Amino acid sequence: MPRRRRNKKVKRYHRSFYSRGMKIKKALGILLLAVVVLGVAWLAAPYVLDWATHTWYTVVRDRDLPDSSQAASSEPEAESAPASSAAGGASSSGASSVAAPSGAASSEAEPLPGTTIREGSWATVSLSALSDEAAVRAEAQRLAGQGVTYALIPFKDTSGYIYYASAVPAAARSVAATVVDPALIASVFKEEGLVPVAGVAAFQDPVASYTDRSMAIQYAGEGGYLWLDAANAAAGGKAWLNPYADTANTFIGDLIEELYGCGFEQVCLSAVQFPPIASSSQSFGETGGRSRDAQLAADIAAWDARFAGRVTLWYEYPLSSCTSVSPALGALPAQLGVHNLVVSLPVGETLDPAALAETAAQMKEQGAAYVVVRDSEGGRFY
């Protein structure tokens, strides 16, 4: 008999074909592959996000997105847009800044011209606070610290005195015993960020009237005697300059010219009017048939034309003359051609902000472009 073949059992070993070293290499390879995949994903993420965002807006939302380079280039333009000033044509109130190109050093904003009208509060400066350079600097810093924009310095008042060493011939008898330095004041105030404004009282002037009588109102038929606004000098009567006289207009213009030469690019004229008393005893000489309001309008137009582009002229009138027609003007200020108006309140009187705003709005309706309402110490711009 043939021998039966016995089936042999096959031994199975559970031992791995990978050695310990091969396992370590395999783990390192997987780790390296993971690092590479993550790195590629990190680098590709921005582009994937951009593509996804663009697809969302353009396909799903049906909107256009600006090219990224255009958006980047438009950012400096948006940042450099200058701030607008409510003073318009002027200004109230600050210089605009422009962003410098990429890689270039930023430059300071151009300073506003001194004639620019700006927003901001007004303050009247006492001449006693301007005795020397140190005092001028201290006063300028004090006002700037209070947020004042316009500093009004009264260089000529209604008493007829001039408080600086004027060289205008018709002012020979008008210079006061104590004077200040207008050039120093203008320079220091500008350095401290203020707008210096020279205050000049025009036709209410009992001193220059006697220096050059051709500038004054005279008594009708009285042989050259100066008209007084009271019965006589003993009763407090004062002489006035004659708004019809070309010499009077030139005198005021020469004072403005002189102050402009000292650095004042803004001047506030007050008393641009006739005496509040209208009398048949007043002689104005040759009038050319012009009414009072027409003559004042002609004087204002002459000054505006003479100083156009060089000096910003303000005209100050009391509140009563701005709300009703007075014999001193014959019309409302805006009807005389006044564009930059300062409305002065009676001494000791104040108005609430709403009333001030309403008064300013009425003046603008009448034709004034810029209005400041002020009391004896300060003023608010509208």
Side-chain angles (χ1 to χ4, degrees):
M1 286 179 69
R3 183 180 294 179
R4 182 181 295 178
R5 180 177 293 181
R6 184 180 294 177
N7 291 332
K8 293 182 179 181
K9 292 183 179 181
V10 179
K11 290 184 178 182
R12 300 183 182 276
Y13 297 93
H14 296 284
R15 185 176 60 184
S16 172
F17 290 101
Y18 296 100
S19 65
R20 187 169 181 268
M22 294 176 68
K23 288 181 179 180
I24 294 174
K25 290 181 179 180
K26 181 179 180 181
L28 290 175
I30 294 172
L31 180 61
L32 178 61
L33 179 62
V35 171
V36 171
V37 171
L38 290 175
V40 171
W42 175 266
L43 294 174
Y47 302 97
V48 173
L49 289 175
D50 284 347
W51 173 83
T53 303
H54 188 274
T55 302
W56 170 259
Y57 277 96
T58 57
V59 177
V60 180
R61 300 296 297 275
D62 192 23
R63 290 171 54 185
D64 290 330
L65 286 177
D67 182 74
S68 59
S69 61
Q70 294 177 350
S73 64
S74 65
E75 287 177 3
E77 296 177 4
E79 293 174 359
S80 65
S84 61
S85 171
S91 150
S92 192
S93 287
S96 62
S97 60
V98 181
S102 177
S106 60
S107 57
E108 293 185 0
E110 290 288 334
L112 292 176
T115 55
T116 301
I117 295 178
R118 315 176 194 182
E119 286 187 1
S121 62
W122 287 53
T124 302
V125 183
S126 173
L127 293 171
S128 61
L130 307 173
S131 56
D132 55 35
E133 184 173 358
V136 172
R137 179 77 62 182
E139 181 67 3
Q141 292 175 347
R142 183 185 72 84
L143 294 174
Q146 294 177 351
V148 170
T149 301
Y150 284 85
L152 177 62
I153 302 97
F155 286 112
K156 180 178 183 289
D157 58 22
T158 54
S159 69
Y161 287 107
I162 296 173
Y163 298 97
Y164 70 94
S166 174
V168 175
R173 299 171 59 180
S174 303
V175 177
T178 302
V179 296
V180 294
D181 184 348
L184 172 65
I185 295 170
S187 175
V188 172
F189 276 38
K190 288 179 180 179
E191 289 175 6
E192 298 297 334
L194 300 170
V195 179
V197 183
V200 176
F203 296 125
Q204 189 174 355
D205 185 341
V207 179
S209 297
Y210 288 94
T211 304
D212 183 351
R213 290 174 175 256
S214 70
M215 300 192 300
I217 302 173
Q218 302 184 13
Y219 279 109
E222 292 290 333
Y225 288 99
L226 301 188
W227 179 87
L228 305 179
D229 57 10
N232 50 53
K238 299 289 189 299
W240 281 63
L241 296 181
N242 180 5
Y244 283 101
D246 291 339
T247 50
N249 183 288
T250 300
F251 170 56
I252 301 302
D254 289 347
L255 294 178
I256 298 171
E257 191 76 57
E258 196 169 50
L259 290 165
Y260 168 69
C262 293
F264 285 87
E265 295 165 282
Q266 301 206 27
V267 173
C268 182
L269 295 172
S270 59
V272 181
Q273 64 176 77
F274 286 84
I277 303 170
S279 170
S280 59
S281 64
Q282 297 166 337
S283 174
F284 299 103
E286 181 57 47
T287 65
R290 291 188 295 273
S291 61
R292 291 189 170 202
D293 57 307
Q295 182 57 43
L296 291 176
D299 289 329
I300 291 172
W303 292 322
D304 287 348
R306 177 174 175 178
F307 297 103
R310 297 190 298 147
V311 181
T312 294
L313 295 176
W314 295 83
Y315 295 89
E316 180 172 357
Y317 290 99
L319 178 62
S320 58
S321 294
C322 297
T323 55
S324 60
V325 176
S326 67
L329 301 183
L332 297 174
Q335 296 170 332
L336 302 177
V338 172
H339 299 293
N340 310 322
L341 174 63
V342 177
V343 181
S344 57
L345 302 179
V347 176
E349 182 176 325
T350 58
L351 294 177
D352 64 81
L356 291 175
E358 182 179 357
T359 299
Q362 291 174 352
M363 301 304 103
K364 289 186 176 181
E365 288 177 1
Q366 295 167 7
Y370 305 105
V371 178
V372 171
V373 182
R374 75 179 195 91
D375 55 26
S376 57
E377 297 298 327
R380 183 176 299 181
F381 185 93
Y382 289 92

